[in-house]
Amino acid sequence: MAAVPVPPPPLLASHAAVRAAASADAADVRNLSLVYTLAGVDCIDCAADASVVGAVNEGIDVAASIIPAVQRPWVMVSVNDDCRDLHFRKAEFDPEDCPLDCSKPCEKVCPAEAISLESVMVGGAHTQSDPLHGKLKGGVLPERCYGCGRCLPVCPYDRIRAVSYVRDPTTTSELLKRNDVDAIEIHTTGKGTDTFNTLLNSLRESINNVKLVAVSMPDIGESTVDFMNALYAIMEPHIQGYNLWQLDGRPMSGDIGRGATRETVSFAIHMASMSERPPGFYQLAGGTNSYTIDFLKKAGLFQSRTFPGTETSETICSQEALIGGIAYGGYARKIIGRTLRKIPAQFGRVRIEDHPEHLLEALQEALSLVGPVKGYPALSSLL
Ligand code: SF4
Ligand code: SF4
């Protein structure tokens, strides 16, 4: 393996990343990428899908046209080695099997607005409540569903199923050869190394094109570090740049609140207590939100850096601490989504830069999340 270069300081210390979703509406991905690029994230993680990668890069390009000096975040594509990974599933049901008088709790609970249902009269005319002549149309919008699973238990008629999938390695290989893809994130379940080995072998001709190979995995208890070392032994011959461990505390739950982040930070605390950890940078994900950085700093686990002329909390974190970055997923999308939904429907949601007041509001939201990780001075101190 080639020697791992010393990382440029901003990149993997005080490193902020956003996950544009394993799958999401392309317009939202573009706008989200634009806003978080302006906010200064280091990496944007997205589905290993050419159209989604294109949407991310378009958002970054527009951000760079607004502020030419903006740092271009790395674009990271996400794949899985095993269909049991929760990030790679979608909800599915046939709305025609649903009772017309169902109160549709599935639609209400979905954080991604990925379920859309309407009642129609058989024959075409709209009806709201006639169970004899109506039916439901619509269902799950697969491009918006990111597999959080919250709709599954709320269906009173047990109509919803989860359909899992594995990203195609051939498509992934082609993406890794593009010059607008910088990194790959491999999700693994911790249930065995065979599938990881198979995936690495199938990507061996392309994986050395990227600057960073990240592995996302859950806390599997006492065997976590042994498992990580086994993964590292498999991937070491294939990687030419950096490697990153993404500690996936509580998958796809950051938008739920404070409790989700406690569970995630406890994964970091667990890792910090283990010796013989494999080489690489460490980042927290899954259950991350606006509370995460404070919890991490209080535990003395967050690496920080100081911007000249500003103050950061060096007393409660250090350059040597375990966690160098935080990846925000559902929470990052939620706070920007609130603004995107305010853009009047007649304008669509396509180009947030055409609505400067909304762009500014979204940017303030993004900075409130990214700023504490990057050590930016508080906005209030600049006004
Ligand atoms: S799995 Fe989650 S994102 Fe997908 S439809 Fe259900 S609630 Fe929505
Ligand atoms: S909750 Fe279940 S039965 Fe009701 S609309 Fe949703 S999927 Fe259909």
Side-chain angles (χ1 to χ4, degrees):
M1 177 196 167
V4 174
V6 176
L11 186 60
L12 291 162
S14 307
H15 164 231
V18 287
R19 177 170 287 166
S23 174
D25 179 278
D28 280 0
V29 167
R30 172 199 183 277
N31 287 325
L32 194 86
S33 302
L34 191 168
V35 171
Y36 279 103
T37 299
L38 290 177
V41 294
D42 302 276
C43 187
I44 297 176
D45 165 14
C46 67
D49 174 292
S51 63
V52 179
V53 169
V56 170
N57 277 293
E58 186 183 327
I60 295 171
D61 290 343
V62 176
S65 72
I66 296 170
I67 300 183
V70 78
Q71 170 194 278
R72 225 183 145 82
W74 284 1
V75 176
M76 178 155 79
V77 294
S78 273
V79 299
N80 54 335
D81 67 354
D82 181 337
C83 66
R84 289 170 291 185
D85 190 291
L86 298 181
H87 297 87
F88 296 82
R89 64 177 180 173
K90 287 182 189 295
E92 201 177 87
F93 65 89
D94 183 347
E96 294 198 15
D97 292 342
C98 301
L100 193 65
D101 59 354
C102 178
S103 62
K104 304 173 200 157
C106 58
E107 204 177 30
K108 296 181 185 84
V109 80
C110 177
E113 298 179 22
I115 297 178
S116 174
L117 292 162
E118 66 170 326
S119 308
V120 293
M121 183 84 97
V122 174
H126 284 252
T127 182
Q128 290 299 313
S129 59
D130 185 346
L132 293 177
H133 298 103
K135 65 178 182 179
L136 287 181
K137 279 190 69 177
V140 178
L141 305 167
E143 70 280 11
R144 296 192 69 85
C145 172
Y146 66 97
C148 72
R150 284 174 225 172
C151 58
L152 301 173
V154 303
C155 175
Y157 302 98
D158 202 20
R159 295 287 194 270
I160 311 176
R161 58 196 171 275
V163 180
S164 299
Y165 60 96
V166 178
R167 287 275 171 208
D168 170 37
T170 308
T171 306
T172 304
S173 263
E174 291 307 309
L175 284 173
L176 298 184
K177 291 173 188 164
R178 290 169 52 147
N179 60 9
D180 58 359
V181 170
D182 305 284
I184 182 172
E185 176 184 26
I186 302 170
H187 289 259
T188 194
T189 59
K191 294 186 169 73
T193 56
D194 289 353
T195 51
F196 188 84
N197 195 16
T198 302
L199 177 62
L200 262 289
N201 271 325
S202 59
L203 298 177
R204 66 182 180 281
E205 303 294 332
S206 54
I207 203 163
N208 54 9
N209 291 324
V210 291
K211 301 170 202 158
L212 173 78
V213 177
V215 174
S216 172
M217 59 171 287
D219 190 345
I220 53 170
E222 289 307 305
S223 56
T224 303
V225 166
D226 288 344
F227 186 74
M228 291 167 78
N229 279 307
L231 296 181
Y232 187 74
I234 292 169
M235 68 181 180
E236 188 183 14
H238 299 286
I239 53 179
Q240 297 291 326
Y242 307 112
N243 80 290
L244 171 76
W245 299 99
Q246 186 141 289
L247 309 181
D248 199 6
R250 183 172 160 180
M252 297 176 285
S253 62
D255 59 308
I256 294 173
R258 197 180 174 91
T261 219
R262 281 191 189 282
E263 204 171 309
T264 300
V265 172
S266 64
F267 189 2
I269 293 170
H270 173 211
M271 283 306 296
S273 72
M274 305 293 282
S275 56
E276 309 295 326
R277 290 187 301 269
F281 298 91
Y282 286 74
Q283 172 170 289
L284 211 52
T288 50
N289 55 34
S290 57
Y291 297 105
T292 310
I293 187 74
D294 280 345
F295 282 139
L296 270 179
K297 285 182 174 179
K298 282 178 187 149
L301 289 174
F302 187 71
Q303 292 175 18
S304 72
R305 64 198 171 100
T306 307
F307 278 77
T310 67
E311 293 179 8
T312 54
S313 304
E314 291 296 336
T315 53
I316 51 174
C317 47
S318 75
Q319 296 288 347
E320 294 77 39
L322 177 67
I323 304 297
I326 301 177
Y328 296 107
Y331 185 77
R333 296 193 296 276
K334 178 180 171 180
I335 61 176
I336 302 306
R338 283 195 296 245
T339 303
L340 290 175
R341 307 294 168 255
K342 289 182 194 169
I343 297 176
Q346 70 265 33
F347 296 126
R349 295 176 188 160
V350 178
R351 293 162 51 97
I352 193 171
E353 69 274 23
D354 292 341
H355 307 275
E357 70 285 11
H358 292 106
L359 175 58
L360 191 58
E361 181 183 314
L363 185 55
Q364 284 172 334
E365 291 277 15
L367 284 168
S368 71
L369 192 61
V370 175
V373 180
K374 303 279 291 176
Y376 298 162
L379 278 179
S380 55
S381 71
L382 300 174
L383 300 175

